[in-house]
Amino acid sequence: MEVVHSEYVPDPDRTHEEMAELQRDLVADAVFADDVDFAPADVALDDPPEDRTPEAGQQTLSAGPAEAYDPEGPPVVVGIDQAFVDDEEAVSAAVAIQDGAVVERAVGRRPLEIPYIPGLLAFREGGAIVDALQNLSVPGDLLVLDGSGRIHFRQAGIATHVGVVFDTPAIGVAKSLLCGEPRESLDQYFEAGERVAIEADDEVEAPTGDVIGYAFQSRQYPNPEKRHVNPLIVSPGHRVDEETAVDFVEALCAGYKLPEPTRLADRDVGRLK
DNA sequence: GCGACAG
DNA sequence: ATCTTGTCGC
């Protein structure tokens, strides 16, 4: 894939104030509304068989060699995840999926220049992600990032940042809430499929009360009282609205908490260490 | 100053 | 994110 807005490529070599300013600039080019030429149903994965037990295995997508990419085929969804090597290098893995099969895997690396700072994650891990996506030869139609998108102090989470840099539809999938106010307490158990809107509060640079994302329960155990799963925090990155972002994530989940593209990238980056 | 904070 | 074996529940 190729960078479209090079002026927004995250550069660790600048002050925190300049980073925040770059985020405000790129948000002006971010689109939190649908601008995608395909629907969640077009990339939906098969529902998991009911009889799946750990022993039977839940492998939904092949972990083996990539299948052939079809330029005329269904949309390509790219899952991306990061890991760190000795706290000195960020490694990013991108896995491209088309028609339920892996068509390509790419890796990106970048030295870790700055520490983790809430709100400035893209400047720590973004370089490796951009590197991985540039190493991806097939054009991704939808990017699924681990982290927030619009659910961010300046509405410029890592999913928004990367989505705008490549001007490609993107979604942020986080495991915990960075900011914003859930309409309903998340300190309770939800059933698979439930969604709780996250609204902007006074620490988000958006009209207070605006829905900026959702807590989405992708899966749940039979008896949450004994064993439960926490909801995913989904927010639009670029060119998708809040509801559509969740619809895509739901379509991409195949029996596990995380959407399949993310799981595969997770696994890739894990064995790369 | 206090509190809150993706990965 | 990362350090890490066994252990509980499905």
Side-chain angles (χ1 to χ4, degrees), chain A residues 108-126:
Chain A
R109 303 167 183 288
R110 193 116 318 178
L112 285 176
E113 310 278 27
I114 63 174
Y116 164 67
I117 301 170
L120 298 180
L121 184 64
F123 294 89
R124 174 176 165 80
E125 310 182 353

Side-chain angles (χ1 to χ4, degrees), chain A residues 1 69 103-106 132-140:
Chain A
M1 293 183 73
Y69 162 64
V103 293
E104 188 179 3
R105 297 169 188 281
L133 292 178
Q134 288 182 310
N135 287 333
L136 196 67
S137 63
V138 305

Side-chain angles (χ1 to χ4, degrees), chain A residues 68-150:
Chain A
Y69 162 64
D70 177 5
E72 322 271 287
V76 172
V77 180
V78 181
I80 304 156
D81 189 39
Q82 291 72 240
F84 310 97
V85 181
D86 300 327
D87 200 48
E88 62 175 42
E89 180 182 42
V91 179
S92 179
V95 178
I97 294 169
Q98 177 181 50
D99 202 15
V102 174
V103 293
E104 188 179 3
R105 297 169 188 281
V107 177
R109 303 167 183 288
R110 193 116 318 178
L112 285 176
E113 310 278 27
I114 63 174
Y116 164 67
I117 301 170
L120 298 180
L121 184 64
F123 294 89
R124 174 176 165 80
E125 310 182 353
I129 295 174
V130 171
D131 190 21
L133 292 178
Q134 288 182 310
N135 287 333
L136 196 67
S137 63
V138 305
D141 297 299
L142 175 66
L143 308 179
V144 180
L145 287 292
D146 59 319
S148 289
R150 192 183 183 189

Side-chain angles (χ1 to χ4, degrees), chain A residues 7 22 32-33 75 103 114 123 133 154 184 190 234 240 248 251:
Chain A
E7 71 272 31
L22 177 64
F32 301 131
V103 293
I114 63 174
F123 294 89
L133 292 178
R154 292 167 291 279
E184 192 178 344
F190 297 98
V234 180
V240 293
F248 270 116

Side-chain angles (χ1 to χ4, degrees), chain A residues 12-205:
Chain A
D13 190 36
R14 51 173 83 225
T15 68
H16 291 12
E17 234 13 87
E18 294 176 321
M19 293 180 185
E21 216 35 62
L22 177 64
Q23 294 181 323
R24 295 193 176 88
D25 288 344
L26 73 88
V27 162
D29 284 327
V31 176
F32 301 131
D34 291 343
D35 182 15
V36 209
D37 55 14
F38 55 93
D42 298 323
V43 295
L45 297 174
D46 294 326
D47 287 328
E50 291 303 326
D51 60 5
R52 272 186 189 156
T53 63
E55 302 74 54
Q58 302 183 20
Q59 200 79 43
T60 298
L61 293 180
S62 171
E67 299 294 311
Y69 162 64
D70 177 5
E72 322 271 287
V76 172
V77 180
V78 181
I80 304 156
D81 189 39
Q82 291 72 240
F84 310 97
V85 181
D86 300 327
D87 200 48
E88 62 175 42
E89 180 182 42
V91 179
S92 179
V95 178
I97 294 169
Q98 177 181 50
D99 202 15
V102 174
V103 293
E104 188 179 3
R105 297 169 188 281
V107 177
R109 303 167 183 288
R110 193 116 318 178
L112 285 176
E113 310 278 27
I114 63 174
Y116 164 67
I117 301 170
L120 298 180
L121 184 64
F123 294 89
R124 174 176 165 80
E125 310 182 353
I129 295 174
V130 171
D131 190 21
L133 292 178
Q134 288 182 310
N135 287 333
L136 196 67
S137 63
V138 305
D141 297 299
L142 175 66
L143 308 179
V144 180
L145 287 292
D146 59 319
S148 289
R150 192 183 183 189
I151 294 181
H152 176 278
F153 311 119
R154 292 167 291 279
Q155 306 187 85
I158 198 163
T160 300
H161 203 136
V162 175
V164 171
V165 164
F166 288 90
D167 191 23
T168 298
I171 296 172
V173 177
K175 301 177 195 63
S176 59
L177 193 61
L178 171 64
C179 59
E181 186 66 28
R183 274 187 184 165
E184 192 178 344
S185 172
L186 297 184
D187 190 32
Q188 60 177 305
Y189 304 131
F190 297 98
E191 291 176 21
E194 293 196 88
R195 308 175 176 197
V196 175
I198 307 297
E199 302 180 342
D201 55 17
D202 55 21
E203 61 176 17
V204 176
E205 293 181 6

